[in-house]
Amino acid sequence: MSDLIVGRKEKKIKIKKPDGYHTFSIRIKRESVDKLDSIASKTGRTRNEIIGIFLEYGAEHCIIEEKEEP
């Protein structure tokens, strides 16, 4: 018995090279999205760029306070 192959098309997929970025998803309120979109529009940057700038700034300026023991 022979196999029947109908409409076979080959698709070449390039191996993605590491670019130093990591993709992940988050869940945020609609109001936050609207604010980010407004900032992006006013600055000519993408929403992704704005989020990256904010996260980098927050991580660099984060202060962790020690919890006081009761």
Side-chain angles (χ1 to χ4, degrees), residues 9-24:
K9 291 184 180 181
E10 290 185 9
K11 173 76 176 160
K12 291 184 180 181
I13 300 174
K14 294 180 181 178
I15 296 174
K16 187 175 178 182
K17 296 179 183 177
D19 61 2
Y21 290 91
H22 183 79
T23 302
F24 62 95

